[in-house]
Amino acid sequence: MMLAILSCEVAGVLQKMASHLLSVFCVLLIVCYCEPYNILVISPLAGRSHAILGDGIVRHLTNAGHKVTYITSFPDNMSHKNLTIIHASENKGVIKEQMISIQSIMDKDFNLQDIGFLFIMFMENARKAVSIPAVQELFKDNNQKFDAIVAEWMFSELYAGIPSIYDCPLIWFSTVDPHWMVLKLIDEVPNPAYSSDCLSSDIPPFSFRRRAQELYNQLYGLYLQNWFVNGMEQQYYEQYIIPHIRDKSKPVPSLNTLKYNASLMLGNSHSSMGGALKLPQNYKEIGGYHIDTNVKPLPENLKKIMDNAKHGVIYFSMGSNLKSENFPKDLKEGLVKMFGELKQTVIWKFGEDLPNRPKNVHIVQWAPQPSILAHPNCVLFITHGGLLSTTEAIHFGVPIVGIPVFADQFTNIERAVNKGFAKKVTLSYTMAKELKEQVESILSDPKYASKAKELSLIYHDRLVSPSDELVHWVEHVVRTKGAPHLRSPALMVPWYQKLYLDLLAVVFAVILTVLCLLWKLYSRLFKKSNKNIGSKKRN
Ligand SMILES: *[C@@H]1O[C@H](CO)[C@@H](O)[C@H](O)[C@H]1NC(C)=O
């Protein structure tokens, strides 16, 4: 009997414990198990650095458990069980090889600073991306659903039409420090008196001339967008996107409405690297997210070279786009000779081996850049100043000598110089001498290295890591159905109202009316008194 009661009690207790455990388990399950979302990431530009940024977004989203469909020109970079890749093979032709060859840039064959040229080139990039058969198939598929679309902004806003096919929110991704062309989409254009255009290499405070130039850049850009770009985008929207919206019997909004309807903008920026421009609530800084925080160990041979470098290592890389075979011969030889005169060890990432190399100069075809920069003996980074490279320099706290070549590189290097951890060298056939001077001046003055360390501290001193932030905000947009609470009220106010031109018009009208009335009154009185005088005279 006792035993039966006892076993009953035990069973009861066990049951209670089990139900407790079950509820704890359920709670845990709800906390840990976030619903996987279906996300489309569009980053088809066939530039290596753009692909690294696109891959980074995809990597963090898939690692967080989400299903991602990714439109990219580099389909072999990644694989994951939650990842579907759409190969934008036709986008490879958009950036022509010779356009980014160092020789043609030095000879100024193409002007990659020309905004009109960029608009046309990147418009073609966007058109190709939406027109490829695999993407058209994706649009056509009635079973395909997306919870959000992340699209890279690259001088085209055509992708803004795509969310209407799926009735889902849009998240812009901006690859550089925030500038007027992207801020306009989620808030308003910033004041050109203290914010640089995305192609300008100047940083505030501006001189009088510069300030006028920045204003001109904005007005000219707006003019091009309104008179050329928008028309073409409208045409492609009608051709490649609207049929699919109609197919699904959904309303067809105007492209202009959709451009300004993104929920958020993720920006590859951070105040440690760029400026401290005021930003709207729907702009989220995630600069540095592409860097793998698990730095891989160096390959044995490189590790040995770096460990044994008594005077430190100078790492030289002109990025992934500039091919070594296009380096002018004289320049190559001049650089090798110059590096040979330095006491530091030089690791040069270069596509070909160079004959008669001095002992301290090592050529590597492929370089694990983060692992090199992370090595304590790395004392200097000579770079073309691509944003990824300048970001990595700050991440690892290494000073730089920048040789900007095109696009945002001038701005990045200008900023780095201004922040005090860099020197700039102008790309030319005879730059070896200048490069040597700048290398020596940076290495002989400890203030550059200590500034790089200080910025690195600012960069790392964040509440959450940029990758966590990325995942959080994408999920937040889905969870809150487009995050309408973050929408900037500035988007609803036309420019003439912001400048109070309507009020000015009213004030003018009132003043004019009053003046008119006064004039009438005066002339009436005056005429009357004139008449009176006249009649008096007649009397
Ligand atoms: C704008 O975005 C919101 C949130 O994603 C969406 O609900 C709404 O339908 C969009 N507006 C238009 C005109 O498509």
Side-chain angles (χ1 to χ4, degrees):
M1 185 66 185
M2 272 290 274
L3 220 100
I5 290 172
L6 211 74
S7 67
C8 228
E9 252 172 30
V10 169
V13 168
L14 277 180
Q15 206 176 354
K16 254 191 202 154
M17 263 171 69
S19 80
H20 266 297
L21 270 178
L22 196 71
S23 52
V24 167
F25 182 69
C26 281
V27 168
L28 274 180
L29 204 68
I30 291 166
V31 172
C32 302
Y33 176 82
C34 57
E35 200 186 334
Y37 299 135
N38 235 327
I39 299 159
L40 174 65
V41 177
I42 309 174
S43 171
L45 190 68
R48 290 251 165 226
S49 49
H50 288 264
I52 290 172
L53 291 174
D55 292 356
I57 294 179
V58 171
R59 190 174 75 235
H60 294 306
L61 290 176
T62 48
N63 285 350
H66 301 299
K67 284 172 108 175
V68 175
T69 304
Y70 181 27
I71 304 178
T72 171
S73 300
F74 298 89
D76 305 324
N77 283 5
M78 341 182 41
S79 69
H80 192 284
K81 66 178 193 322
N82 290 345
L83 176 62
T84 311
I85 284 187
I86 295 181
H87 184 182
S89 49
E90 286 159 47
N91 287 59
K92 287 262 189 214
V94 172
I95 300 179
K96 306 256 178 321
E97 280 276 323
Q98 70 266 31
M99 242 150 49
I100 48 173
S101 106
I102 198 155
Q103 175 125 30
S104 68
I105 287 164
M106 286 168 80
D107 295 341
K108 304 200 166 41
D109 293 347
F110 297 92
N111 185 0
L112 291 178
Q113 302 302 111
D114 175 6
I115 181 87
F117 179 73
L118 294 184
F119 271 136
I120 291 171
M121 180 164 77
F122 292 123
M123 169 77 70
E124 187 52 14
N125 177 59
R127 189 196 69 78
K128 282 208 156 111
V130 296
S131 69
I132 47 181
V135 171
Q136 285 289 311
E137 280 303 311
L138 186 79
F139 292 170
K140 202 183 276 170
D141 185 356
N142 278 324
N143 297 321
Q144 183 67 57
K145 302 238 175 334
F146 287 114
D147 296 303
I149 295 178
V150 181
E152 177 181 351
W153 183 94
M154 200 58 202
F155 293 92
S156 165
E157 284 135 28
L158 180 60
Y159 306 145
I162 302 173
S164 284
I165 303 177
Y166 305 102
D167 224 346
C168 72
L170 170 69
I171 298 171
W172 287 118
F173 170 62
S174 160
T175 49
V176 294
D177 220 44
H179 53 89
W180 70 268
M181 270 194 258
V182 294
L183 290 175
K184 163 171 91 91
L185 295 173
I186 52 165
D187 182 42
E188 63 181 344
V189 289
N191 192 332
Y194 54 80
S195 64
S196 340
D197 180 70
C198 61
L199 296 177
S200 113
S201 57
D202 272 272
I203 38 174
F206 298 136
S207 66
F208 176 80
R209 210 183 131 257
R210 240 6 275 185
R211 209 151 39 85
Q213 179 69 43
E214 289 294 338
L215 177 63
Y216 170 80
N217 288 351
Q218 266 195 20
L219 293 175
Y220 182 58
L222 282 171
Y223 161 77
L224 286 179
Q225 282 189 320
N226 285 329
W227 291 98
F228 300 103
V229 179
N230 289 357
M232 282 164 81
E233 275 173 348
Q234 180 63 31
Q235 187 195 328
Y236 299 148
Y237 176 54
E238 285 166 16
Q239 192 173 351
Y240 298 111
I241 300 174
I242 288 186
H244 302 288
I245 307 177
R246 290 231 167 86
D247 234 24
K248 299 190 166 63
S249 330
K250 292 194 169 137
V252 180
S254 81
L255 186 58
N256 205 44
T257 312
L258 295 173
K259 281 179 185 180
Y260 298 94
N261 194 42
S263 302
L264 266 192
M265 178 168 284
L266 298 170
N268 180 34
S269 63
H270 186 256
S271 45
S272 58
M273 311 177 263
L277 200 62
K278 64 178 184 234
L279 294 167
Q281 305 249 353
N282 50 2
Y283 182 96
K284 302 297 174 192
E285 294 200 303
I286 54 163
Y289 74 94
H290 73 280
I291 301 174
D292 197 345
T293 40
N294 286 328
V295 178
K296 295 193 182 62
L298 280 166
E300 229 12 81
N301 60 336
L302 272 182
K303 185 171 179 323
K304 219 173 185 175
I305 294 172
M306 293 199 77
D307 285 346
N308 295 335
K310 271 201 289 307
H311 300 284
V313 173
I314 296 172
Y315 171 54
F316 178 30
S317 166
M318 291 297 277
S320 41
N321 282 325
L322 300 174
K323 298 258 161 57
S324 56
E325 50 278 19
N326 299 321
F327 257 74
K329 190 162 165 285
D330 293 350
L331 180 57
K332 268 193 275 199
E333 287 167 1
L335 287 174
V336 173
K337 185 165 162 287
M338 183 277 280
F339 286 138
E341 291 161 14
L342 299 172
K343 62 176 191 239
Q344 286 80 14
T345 302
V346 177
I347 297 179
W348 184 354
K349 183 185 164 244
F350 203 61
E352 62 196 71
D353 199 10
L354 298 172
N356 310 326
R357 263 186 296 113
K359 268 222 311 288
N360 66 329
V361 180
H362 303 269
I363 305 271
V364 290
Q365 318 268 319
W366 173 84
Q369 183 157 306
S371 315
I372 294 178
L373 293 175
H375 195 287
N377 284 351
C378 186
V379 290
L380 180 67
F381 180 18
I382 305 176
T383 167
H384 63 314
L387 193 61
L388 303 191
S389 290
T390 47
T391 306
E392 284 163 25
I394 288 185
H395 185 110
F396 296 106
V398 179
I400 62 183
V401 170
I403 312 170
V405 182
F406 61 80
D408 62 326
Q409 294 159 9
F410 295 92
T411 318
N412 300 337
I413 294 301
E414 209 66 52
R415 286 222 171 94
V417 170
N418 203 267
K419 284 192 179 274
F421 75 108
K423 288 270 189 185
K424 182 182 156 185
V425 170
T426 308
L427 179 70
S428 76
Y429 285 103
T430 53
M431 68 179 184
K433 187 166 161 281
E434 192 191 347
L435 185 58
K436 183 169 187 218
E437 280 165 19
Q438 301 295 26
V439 166
E440 281 172 345
S441 84
I442 269 205
L443 291 177
S444 62
D445 189 343
K447 79 170 187 230
Y448 294 97
S450 81
K451 193 70 199 180
K453 293 274 179 295
E454 182 188 323
L455 290 170
S456 184
L457 176 94
I458 298 170
Y459 168 96
H460 287 284
D461 198 23
R462 308 188 211 190
L463 215 46
V464 282
S465 73
S467 53
D468 287 350
E469 194 131 345
L470 187 168
V471 173
H472 169 80
W473 287 113
V474 172
E475 288 174 354
H476 181 81
V477 164
V478 181
R479 276 196 290 264
T480 62
K481 304 206 162 36
H485 53 284
L486 295 178
R487 199 170 158 77
S488 164
L491 284 168
M492 293 176 291
V493 184
W495 61 274
Y496 69 88
Q497 289 184 13
K498 285 180 198 161
L499 294 174
Y500 279 93
L501 293 187
D502 50 348
L503 175 65
L504 210 64
V506 169
V507 170
F508 264 128
V510 168
I511 292 175
L512 227 73
T513 318
V514 169
L515 280 180
C516 265
L517 286 178
L518 282 178
W519 173 246
K520 275 215 170 120
L521 205 69
Y522 170 78
S523 59
R524 208 170 265 180
L525 285 178
F526 189 68
K527 271 180 196 155
K528 232 182 214 164
S529 56
N530 259 359
K531 262 185 202 160
N532 283 350
I533 292 168
S535 59
K536 262 183 201 160
K537 267 190 184 163
R538 252 180 264 142
N539 285 348

